[in-house]
Amino acid sequence: MSNEAQCYCGSELDFQECCEKYILGYETAPSALSLMKSRYAAYATQNVAYLMKTTQDATRRFYSQDEILKWATENQWKRLEIIHFSETIVAFKAHFLDSQKRMQIHSEKSVFVKEDGHWFYVEGFELD
Ligand SMILES: [Zn+2]
């Protein structure tokens, strides 16, 4: 990763100045939106450990680490589009190339919860 690389989340900041500091654990994501963006960047950089760490304990057992890794690595994550967000909800479209190099869009409304000062991903619903 070069120093000039822009962050995957579309912020136009350097990756190091943006989501990487959350992924590496230097700082805690201050909002559901920033956590969501950093999780997208974790998909783009195939950081499954961060994806697991930021999934709420109660739901983590439903998410297989292997499946997350497969989903993260099979696809090339191209662009994140935030549709709308509130304190605990982020609706987004993730544009990616699948393993057949077809452009795909994953649309999701994600729910987050704050526990002990940390935001966690709880669950996601398909957008209409
Ligand atoms: Zn970012």
Side-chain angles (χ1 to χ4, degrees):
M1 183 61 61
S2 85
N3 289 341
E4 296 83 37
Q6 279 196 355
C7 191
Y8 302 92
C9 76
S11 65
E12 297 184 352
L13 295 169
D14 287 354
F15 182 47
Q16 289 178 320
E17 300 296 315
C18 190
C19 296
E20 191 183 39
K21 61 183 189 279
Y22 307 132
I23 293 173
L24 295 180
Y26 299 151
E27 286 182 32
T28 298
S31 65
L33 179 63
S34 56
L35 181 73
M36 192 276 134
K37 288 182 171 182
S38 68
R39 284 174 51 86
Y40 175 83
Y43 270 106
T45 55
Q46 293 150 21
N47 192 319
V48 176
Y50 183 74
L51 294 166
M52 297 301 283
K53 195 181 98 178
T54 55
T55 299
Q56 192 197 27
D57 278 337
T59 54
R60 193 177 292 159
R61 66 180 183 275
F62 297 120
Y63 296 91
S64 134
Q65 199 154 333
D66 288 347
E67 272 176 26
I68 290 176
L69 184 62
K70 192 160 175 265
W71 177 240
T73 53
E74 258 183 8
N75 304 314
Q76 286 179 50
W77 300 90
K78 291 297 187 188
R79 186 163 68 88
L80 176 66
E81 187 184 343
I82 303 294
I83 309 299
H84 61 83
F85 65 95
S86 66
E87 195 188 353
T88 58
I89 301 220
V90 181
F92 65 91
K93 292 184 180 182
H95 300 254
F96 65 96
L97 282 177
D98 67 16
S99 54
Q100 316 297 320
K101 304 281 178 263
R102 289 175 303 217
M103 252 345 263
Q104 305 278 2
I105 298 176
H106 172 73
S107 304
E108 182 179 317
K109 187 170 97 174
S110 297
V111 181
F112 297 87
V113 67
K114 195 178 193 181
E115 289 176 350
D116 298 329
H118 295 270
W119 283 99
F120 295 92
Y121 173 76
V122 180
E123 58 188 335
F125 302 96
E126 261 183 67
L127 278 183
D128 301 330

